[in-house]
Amino acid sequence: MSRLRRFLVSSGAAALLLLFAGSGFAADKPNILFMLVDNLGYGELGVYGGGILRGAPTPRIDTLAAQGLRLLNFNVEAQCTPTRSALMTGRYSIRSGTYEVPIGGGPDGLTLWEVTLAELLSGRGYATGIWGKWHLGSSEERFPTHQGFDEWYGIPRSYDECLWPSTGETNGLWPSVGRRQGWDPKVAEPEYIHEACKGEKARRLKPLDVEQRRLMEAEITRRCIEFMRRQVNAGKPFFAYVSFSLMHLPTLPNPEFAGSTGNGDWADCLAEMDHRVGRLLDTLKSLGVEKNTLVVFASDNGPEATHPWEGSAGPWRGTYFTAMEGSLRTPFILRWPGRVPAGRVSNEIVHVVDCFTTLARVGGAEIPGDRAIDGVDQTPFFLGATEHSAREAFPAYVADRFSAVKWRNWKVHFIWQENMYDTPQRLPVPKLVNLLTDPREERDVGAQNSWVAAAIQKVVGEWTAGLKKYPPIPAGTPDPYQPPY
C-alpha cells in the first residue's frame, strides 16, 4: 500500500474523496428534506425512551433512526426563534439580534444582510420551500420568500396565538376572560396563515384559530409532498424545510387522530406526527429519490413547560427557555442511504449551527467569509469517516443572558434557571456539573475538578474576543444593515 493510500484510509479522507468524485456533492447534488419539530422533548420518541411510555408508539421515526445516525448530544438554542435563526444562518442568534421570541409587535426577524441556508442552496440550483412556522420576521420584507425560499405556506410567528380568539368563549372547559376584556383584534391583529412565492407579495389565507391549528400538520405535509413531486418531475434538486407545528402548545391533534390512541391529546399528537413523517418518507421512496435524499429529523427546543401541555425531557432536567440539558439537548436523526452508516448512535456534541455549514457543503455552496460563522462542518463525522464531532464546546445563551458553557461532558452554569417560569439567578460562583455522572445537573463538582476551569476559560475567552471582532446586531435593527467592520 502506498504512503498516500495509507494516509487516505487512516484519516477517513478516502470516503470523502469518493463523495467529490463522479457521485460526489458537486456532480450529484442530493435532495435535502429537513423536518424540524416544534418543542419536541428528548423523552418523547420511542427510540429516545418515550413512545409507548408517552402513550403512543412512534414506529416510522424509530425506523428512520435505525436507517441512519441518531445523536444523543444534539444541542439547540433555548427558544424557537433563536434555534431557527441559528439553523438558517450558521450563527448563534445573539449575533443576529434574534436571541428571543418576539412579543408585542415590535420590529423582529433577520436582517436581509444575513445569508440563509436557503439562499446558499438556491444559488446552487436548488428549489427551496418552507411549510409551517417561520418565526424570523413578521413583516413582508422579512418573510422567507425574501430570504432564499421559492415558496412558503405557514405562519410568521407562533401557534399559541391561535388561542387569542378563544379567550372570550363561554362554551369550553377553560374559564372565559369575557368578550369585554378578552382579546380585541383592534389592539392585537390576529395571526394569519400565509401563502407566498418568491417575487410576489404574500397572501393572507385565513386567521389562525384553534380549528385551523388542528389542521396545520396535514396541510404542511400535503404541500411538501406536492412540492417534492414537482421538483422530481422537473429534474431539479430540492431543499424542503418542513417546520412542523407539533408538539407546540396548544398541543391538539387533527380530528382524524383525535381519540386514536385512547391516551389523550398528547399521545394522539405523537401518533399524528409519526404518521406525517411516514408520509413524507413514503413519498421519497415512491418518487425513486430515497437514496439521493439526505433526511434530517430534529427538534428546535426542549419540552413545553405550560400546563396542560407539558412535555418530557427524558433523563434530563429542565424545560426550554433555560440552559438546562432538557432545554438544549433534543432528538436528531440523519439518514442518507449509502452515505451515512445505518444504525449508528453517538454521544458526540453537535450544535444546530453546524447544520448550516454541513448542509451548505453537501449542496456544494460556499460559506460566507465576511462574517462570523459559528457552525462547523460535520460532514466527516456524519459520514462515519471519523468517530468524533468537529466541535467539543459551545456557549449557551438564554435570550441575551450568557448562561452556561458546555464542554465535552462538562457544563458550567453562570446563571441558574430550571424552568422557563423560574427567575434566573446569577450564581456567585459558577456551578460545574458532570453530565455523565449527573444527568439531572444536581451536584456542583467544581471543587473536585477545578482543572476544568482552564478549558472553560479558553472557550469564554475565544467567544468574547469574537464578539469584539464581529459586534452583534442589536435586536430590532432595520434594513438595510451594514456591519461596523
Side-chain angles (χ1 to χ4, degrees):
M1 183 182 291
S2 69
R3 182 178 302 174
L4 174 61
R5 183 171 176 79
R6 283 197 302 270
F7 164 74
L8 292 177
V9 172
S10 63
S11 67
L16 298 182
L17 286 179
L18 287 174
L19 291 170
F20 287 97
S23 60
F25 294 142
D28 185 20
K29 302 189 193 82
N31 304 308
I32 300 171
L33 170 61
F34 198 108
M35 296 176 281
L36 189 68
V37 185
D38 209 335
N39 303 343
L40 178 72
Y42 192 97
E44 303 292 358
L45 302 176
V47 75
Y48 281 91
I52 58 175
L53 293 182
R54 295 290 287 150
T58 52
R60 297 307 306 269
I61 300 172
D62 295 352
T63 299
L64 178 68
Q67 296 169 339
L69 169 66
R70 176 164 58 97
L71 296 183
L72 305 182
N73 205 343
F74 177 71
N75 298 267
V76 296
E77 301 218 22
Q79 302 179 27
C80 299
T81 291
T83 291
R84 291 158 194 273
S85 173
L87 170 64
M88 282 293 109
T89 67
R91 291 155 49 83
Y92 297 126
S93 62
I94 192 71
R95 295 191 189 276
S96 304
T98 51
Y99 49 76
E100 62 184 347
V101 171
I103 297 176
D108 67 293
L110 290 171
T111 65
L112 297 181
W113 175 82
E114 297 284 354
V115 177
T116 70
L117 178 59
E119 288 175 301
L120 292 182
L121 293 176
S122 180
R124 291 289 298 160
Y126 277 76
T128 56
I130 170 176
W131 305 270
K133 184 172 78 175
W134 172 234
H135 228 177
L136 296 176
S138 299
S139 62
E140 170 69 37
E141 296 75 19
R142 292 186 176 181
F143 281 168
T145 42
H146 296 273
Q147 303 270 24
F149 286 98
D150 296 326
E151 60 184 76
W152 169 48
Y153 167 85
I155 60 172
R157 294 188 300 276
S158 186
Y159 289 100
D160 53 89
E161 294 183 25
C162 79
L163 295 170
W164 293 355
S166 303
T167 56
E169 292 182 1
T170 59
N171 59 351
L173 292 176
W174 291 94
S176 171
V177 174
R179 62 178 177 79
R180 296 183 62 183
Q181 65 175 11
W183 169 71
D184 185 345
K186 295 179 181 178
V187 176
E189 188 178 44
E191 182 168 22
Y192 279 84
I193 300 170
H194 288 71
E195 180 181 58
C197 293
K198 182 182 292 185
E200 302 176 4
K201 187 176 181 180
R203 297 172 293 282
R204 290 181 168 186
L205 300 181
K206 56 188 66 177
L208 178 70
D209 56 19
V210 170
E211 179 183 3
Q212 292 302 318
R213 190 264 174 279
R214 288 182 180 271
L215 304 177
M216 286 299 295
E217 217 73 335
E219 189 64 8
I220 287 170
T221 304
R222 185 192 70 79
R223 287 178 179 251
C224 179
I225 288 174
E226 194 272 334
F227 168 85
M228 292 192 294
R229 284 178 176 155
R230 271 190 283 121
Q231 307 317 320
V232 171
N233 290 337
K236 192 168 186 177
F238 60 77
F239 170 46
Y241 176 29
V242 184
S243 180
F244 279 130
S245 68
L246 298 173
M247 305 290 287
H248 194 288
L249 74 84
T251 314
L252 302 170
N254 184 286
E256 177 187 353
F257 286 86
S260 62
T261 67
N263 290 319
D265 283 349
W266 191 274
D268 293 346
C269 286
L270 276 179
E272 179 181 359
M273 179 184 65
D274 191 68
H275 172 77
R276 305 299 180 196
V277 170
R279 285 205 62 207
L280 294 176
L281 298 178
D282 289 344
T283 299
L284 295 177
K285 188 171 184 177
S286 68
L287 292 173
V289 296
E290 183 179 50
K291 291 185 178 180
N292 193 41
T293 302
L294 186 156
V295 175
V296 175
F297 177 94
S299 174
D300 69 340
N301 287 128
E304 290 285 358
T306 304
H307 186 73
W309 301 292
E310 294 94 339
S312 170
W316 313 110
R317 186 177 182 181
T319 69
Y320 65 178
F321 283 69
T322 74
M324 306 299 293
E325 285 300 284
S327 172
L328 304 179
R329 201 183 291 222
T330 66
F332 180 95
I333 297 167
L334 172 67
R335 187 189 76 179
W336 192 5
R339 309 293 180 93
V340 172
R344 188 163 165 235
V345 181
S346 176
N347 192 42
E348 291 284 300
I349 291 178
V350 174
H351 195 279
V352 65
V353 290
D354 302 338
C355 294
F356 170 90
T357 309
T358 305
L359 295 179
R361 182 184 181 190
V362 165
E366 292 292 329
I367 305 300
D370 62 342
R371 64 200 66 203
I373 297 293
D374 300 300
V376 298
D377 182 11
Q378 296 287 8
T379 307
F381 172 56
F382 286 168
L383 296 179
T386 175
E387 289 298 312
H388 301 290
S389 167
R391 81 160 58 244
E392 61 178 13
F394 64 89
Y397 276 77
V398 179
D400 57 352
R401 302 185 296 276
F402 189 8
S403 297
V405 167
K406 191 167 169 179
W407 176 75
R408 296 184 180 174
N409 288 306
W410 302 90
K411 192 201 291 190
V412 168
H413 287 274
F414 307 119
I415 297 175
W416 187 256
Q417 183 184 12
E418 296 180 28
N419 185 287
M420 71 173 292
Y421 294 111
D422 295 340
T423 301
Q425 301 290 329
R426 184 166 294 279
L427 299 172
V429 178
K431 178 178 179 177
L432 176 69
V433 296
N434 183 327
L435 295 171
L436 285 181
T437 61
D438 183 19
R440 301 288 297 172
E441 303 181 71
E442 295 173 331
R443 296 179 293 278
D444 186 346
V445 294
Q448 305 95 306
N449 299 277
S450 56
W451 64 273
V452 178
I456 300 299
Q457 287 173 355
K458 181 180 179 181
V459 174
V460 173
E462 292 176 351
W463 170 246
T464 303
L467 286 179
K468 290 180 180 179
K469 182 177 180 180
Y470 299 103
I473 301 173
T477 296
D479 291 308
Y481 168 79
Q482 287 298 321
Y485 51 83

